[in-house]
Amino acid sequence: CQLLPNGNVLIGVHIADVSFFVRPHTALDRMAKQRATTTYMVQRAYPMLPAVLCEDLCSLNPGVDRLAFSVMWEIEPESATVCSTWFGRTVISSACKLSYDDAQHVIDGGHLADSLACFEHTGVRVAPASQQRRSDIEASVLWFFRLSKIMRKRRFDEGALSLHSVRLSFDLDDNGQPIGCRTYDIKDSNRLIEEFMLLANMSVAARIEACFPDAALLRRHSPPLERRLDEVCRQLSHSGIDIDTQSAGAISRSIQDISDPAIRYTVEEMLISPMQRAAYFSTHAVADRNDYRHYALNAPLYTHFTSPIRRYADVVVHRTLEASLAVYGNHVAAEHPLLPPYFSPYFPQTAAAGSLTTSVNDARAVLIPKPEAIAGIAHQCNLRKDAAKKAQEASSTLFLVNYLTAAALRMDTPGVITQAIVTKVKENGISFVTPMFGVDGIIYMDRMADRKGQVVSTDGRKWKLNMWSVKPASVTLVWKAVPQPSTNPKASDSENQLANMLSALVIDDTRHSVVDLGCNGTTETITQTLRIFDKISVCIIPETSPPSVT
């Protein structure tokens, strides 16, 4: 971040120039295209590219020169408005490598740790950073944070939508076994990086689409599935929550109007189901430019540029950007509504806008696949990205099962009891989600009624589900007293322990309607009404074959 004499700031996003090393039609390129993405498991990653690139040549390590593709902006600081954009290949030397926690510490008013390696150029050599240089780095982080807050607010004011599901993070012991499990928290430092990565991706999308309108690899997000969305909204309306579905921004505003964090989280989880996945596509294959839009970002053009080490789509985008530089130079290629025509005098001094250094045909022949081939690449990237996501989710489930199994053994019970929130009421059961573990599921009433020993209690008395009735947004359960002792002498210790734990699942919570009913004979019954957003306790039982939870 550089303060300019005119009061604006110069900001740059610098991405490793992977395409310099991964050239078209080489064995390395073919392997990268086949893998298409890095696959992240809990305990390790399966990289798209060799370690010498991922960990060394294409890693922007501090204090060493590295090749990069850069997008730079002159930004007016009060409104965070982009005044001018520059694209180019650069050589950069990072001053330091900050983790999200390092940046968050600075945002929270702290300083860079003394143990954090920082560097600066002193003439012709790189030396450990002075205290002044470290202070400059901290000031840059604060500038980035200030601008990112303005940019984020404007994005959502203009109609962006963000829905997040629970992401688990595990602590592993020396043998790779999970000993801790927690939800991954999104911090201000995460949001800071997100804003500038989004800005870079949108800027590059506009550039390559302007230069090669029939051969750009972009990413779009279609609107949600209307029938599923209507079904979710009907469920929510029965609970007094109205979701405006006219646009992504309208949905976002409806969610933000919910004051209770637990209910807001649950509504987001419910709204994820109707959403379609974003997908890569070739502009050659989509005739209507209105279909280029990214629904959640509310952006007319979007692509992936910022992670070529782990995504092949980004490598293709880098090559297309390289071709645009070869033909049009570092300035905007032509008048474009998403690219400011003004060229800042504070950018690196390069060729004037539109100065041809090679022909369009030559650039396309060397760097850009044929339009039909780009559609095939988009399809491959979509397939591999979906497969990698499923593998990542399966890995997380496996480690969660291992963690819950160990936790249950420590407590000598079959499962782990946690809080859940009712998300849907159906004829045959209730759906729920557990905020602590991100597990969702369905409690089937007929199975619970038939399952032997499925009991809860309030004051030591045992109850078994006898009957139930369903309304649009609630289910009424009728429990019958179980005439048996609280402890079964023939049961195992673990079963008795679970019975004692289940006795803590109080069903006469203030959120529920519980009344005694008149009974025939000596059998006592009570009713319990559960509604959407009610909090319940569930016992999460790990299953090992295949790894799952019930």
Side-chain angles (χ1 to χ4, degrees):
C1 179
Q2 178 184 347
L3 298 181
L4 301 176
N6 62 1
N8 292 340
V9 291
L10 189 65
I11 300 285
V13 166
H14 308 282
I15 306 300
D17 188 0
V18 175
S19 61
F20 178 85
F21 300 96
V22 183
R23 304 307 294 171
H25 312 302
T26 61
L28 181 58
D29 178 54
R30 288 191 292 272
M31 179 58 69
K33 180 165 61 174
Q34 179 181 342
R35 296 184 179 184
T37 183
T38 294
T39 301
Y40 292 94
M41 304 295 199
V42 170
Q43 81 283 23
R44 62 163 296 180
Y46 294 86
M48 182 183 76
L49 296 173
V52 67
L53 293 180
C54 297
E55 300 170 11
D56 185 13
L57 297 177
C58 295
S59 180
L60 303 182
N61 297 319
V64 294
D65 289 347
R66 287 290 181 262
L67 301 177
F69 251 119
S70 300
V71 184
M72 301 176 71
W73 306 277
E74 182 182 330
I75 297 178
E76 193 281 314
E78 293 303 318
S79 62
T81 301
V82 174
C83 304
S84 186
T85 307
W86 182 91
F87 305 90
R89 304 183 90 163
T90 57
V91 178
I92 70 167
S93 178
S94 299
C96 61
K97 180 182 286 187
L98 301 183
S99 67
Y100 285 113
D101 288 338
D102 292 330
Q104 188 62 46
H105 186 60
V106 173
I107 290 171
D108 292 338
H111 297 281
L112 298 177
D114 294 337
S115 58
L116 184 67
C118 297
F119 301 89
E120 65 178 319
H121 281 273
T122 58
V124 295
R125 68 186 184 91
V126 177
S130 63
Q131 191 57 48
Q132 179 59 49
R133 179 57 176 149
R134 297 174 76 90
S135 297
D136 291 342
I137 294 171
E138 294 170 357
S140 292
V141 171
L142 294 177
W143 263 109
F144 292 144
F145 178 55
R146 174 186 171 185
L147 293 171
S148 70
K149 286 196 300 182
I150 300 172
M151 292 159 60
R152 185 177 182 84
K153 182 180 184 303
R154 180 169 61 236
R155 269 203 315 116
F156 284 95
D157 287 346
E158 293 178 352
L161 169 66
S162 179
L163 299 175
H164 293 289
S165 57
V166 171
R167 175 183 166 190
L168 295 180
S169 179
F170 295 90
D171 299 318
L172 307 181
D173 62 16
D174 293 339
N175 296 319
Q177 294 301 311
I179 56 176
C181 176
R182 62 189 182 279
T183 57
Y184 183 82
D185 294 328
I186 303 296
K187 306 182 180 70
D188 287 332
S189 54
N190 298 89
R191 299 185 183 96
L192 181 161
I193 297 298
E194 179 186 24
E195 289 308 312
F196 286 101
M197 295 301 102
L198 289 175
L199 180 60
N201 287 336
M202 292 177 188
S203 297
V204 171
R207 166 77 185 213
I208 63 175
E209 196 269 342
C211 295
F212 305 104
D214 66 333
L217 179 63
L218 302 181
R219 187 165 176 80
R220 63 176 175 171
H221 183 213
S222 299
L225 299 171
E226 189 172 346
R227 185 173 59 83
R228 290 187 188 177
L229 183 61
D230 289 344
E231 180 183 349
V232 171
C233 291
R234 278 196 301 271
Q235 286 271 342
L236 292 172
S237 66
H238 290 309
S239 300
I241 294 179
D242 294 323
I243 302 295
D244 184 351
T245 60
Q246 293 300 311
S247 66
I251 293 177
S252 180
R253 288 188 291 272
S254 298
I255 293 173
Q256 295 308 311
D257 287 341
I258 302 172
S259 58
D260 187 319
I263 294 179
R264 186 165 60 246
Y265 158 79
T266 308
V267 171
E268 286 192 27
E269 285 286 334
M270 295 171 69
L271 287 171
I272 287 175
S273 174
M275 296 295 164
Q276 301 192 64
R277 288 187 177 179
Y280 299 108
F281 72 99
S282 166
T283 52
H284 173 77
V286 179
D288 190 347
R289 290 186 83 256
N290 291 324
D291 292 333
Y292 293 3
R293 294 192 63 85
H294 195 290
Y295 175 82
L297 295 175
N298 192 33
L301 295 174
Y302 189 70
T303 194
H304 274 164
F305 160 79
T306 53
S307 296
I309 290 177
R310 64 183 179 91
R311 293 186 304 229
Y312 187 72
D314 300 51
V315 176
V316 175
V317 169
H318 276 224
R319 291 172 182 165
T320 310
L321 182 59
E322 179 185 352
S324 78
L325 296 175
V327 176
Y328 298 103
N330 303 84
H331 303 237
V332 294
E335 185 175 344
H336 195 285
L338 303 179
L339 293 172
Y342 161 69
F343 186 77
S344 173
Y346 304 105
F347 287 148
Q349 296 302 306
T350 55
S355 63
L356 297 179
T357 57
T358 188
S359 71
V360 173
N361 290 337
D362 288 345
R364 292 179 69 128
V366 173
L367 296 167
I368 303 177
K370 293 182 179 179
E372 298 82 1
I374 295 177
I377 292 172
H379 179 67
Q380 170 71 359
C381 290
N382 289 330
L383 288 179
R384 301 312 303 165
K385 186 175 180 66
D386 288 346
K389 180 177 176 62
K390 290 178 182 176
Q392 183 177 4
E393 291 171 348
S395 173
S396 182
T397 299
L398 174 61
F399 276 78
L400 177 61
V401 167
N402 289 346
Y403 172 76
L404 293 176
T405 300
L409 287 174
R410 288 194 299 270
M411 296 183 291
D412 195 24
T413 61
V416 175
I417 291 181
T418 185
Q419 187 183 80
I421 302 174
V422 177
T423 59
K424 185 182 294 186
V425 174
K426 304 175 70 173
E427 287 294 329
N428 61 341
I430 56 174
S431 300
F432 68 89
V433 63
T434 59
M436 179 174 290
F437 298 118
V439 173
D440 57 7
I442 301 176
I443 300 173
Y444 292 101
M445 295 304 158
D446 54 348
R447 296 182 188 177
M448 187 160 66
D450 292 340
R451 185 173 294 171
K452 183 178 180 180
Q454 184 75 50
V455 295
V456 297
S457 74
T458 61
D459 67 10
R461 291 178 297 172
K462 302 293 181 183
W463 304 88
K464 184 176 178 66
L465 183 62
N466 186 46
M467 62 182 67
W468 64 95
S469 64
V470 179
K471 294 181 179 179
S474 67
V475 58
T476 299
L477 312 177
V478 180
W479 301 86
K480 180 185 291 186
V482 179
Q484 62 182 21
S486 59
T487 301
N488 182 359
K490 295 182 180 180
S492 66
D493 291 340
S494 62
E495 288 174 334
N496 287 328
Q497 180 77 10
L498 178 59
N500 291 332
M501 293 178 69
L502 286 171
S503 69
L505 307 188
V506 181
I507 63 176
D508 55 353
D509 187 277
T510 55
R511 288 291 305 278
H512 302 152
S513 170
V514 180
V515 296
D516 287 329
L517 294 180
C519 308
N520 296 324
T522 60
T523 303
E524 183 181 3
T525 62
I526 61 174
T527 62
Q528 174 190 28
T529 301
L530 291 177
R531 302 174 180 86
I532 295 177
F533 305 127
D534 274 354
K535 295 176 177 138
I536 61 175
S537 294
V538 295
C539 183
I540 303 296
I541 302 175
E543 305 283 354
T544 57
S545 184
S548 61
V549 292
T550 59

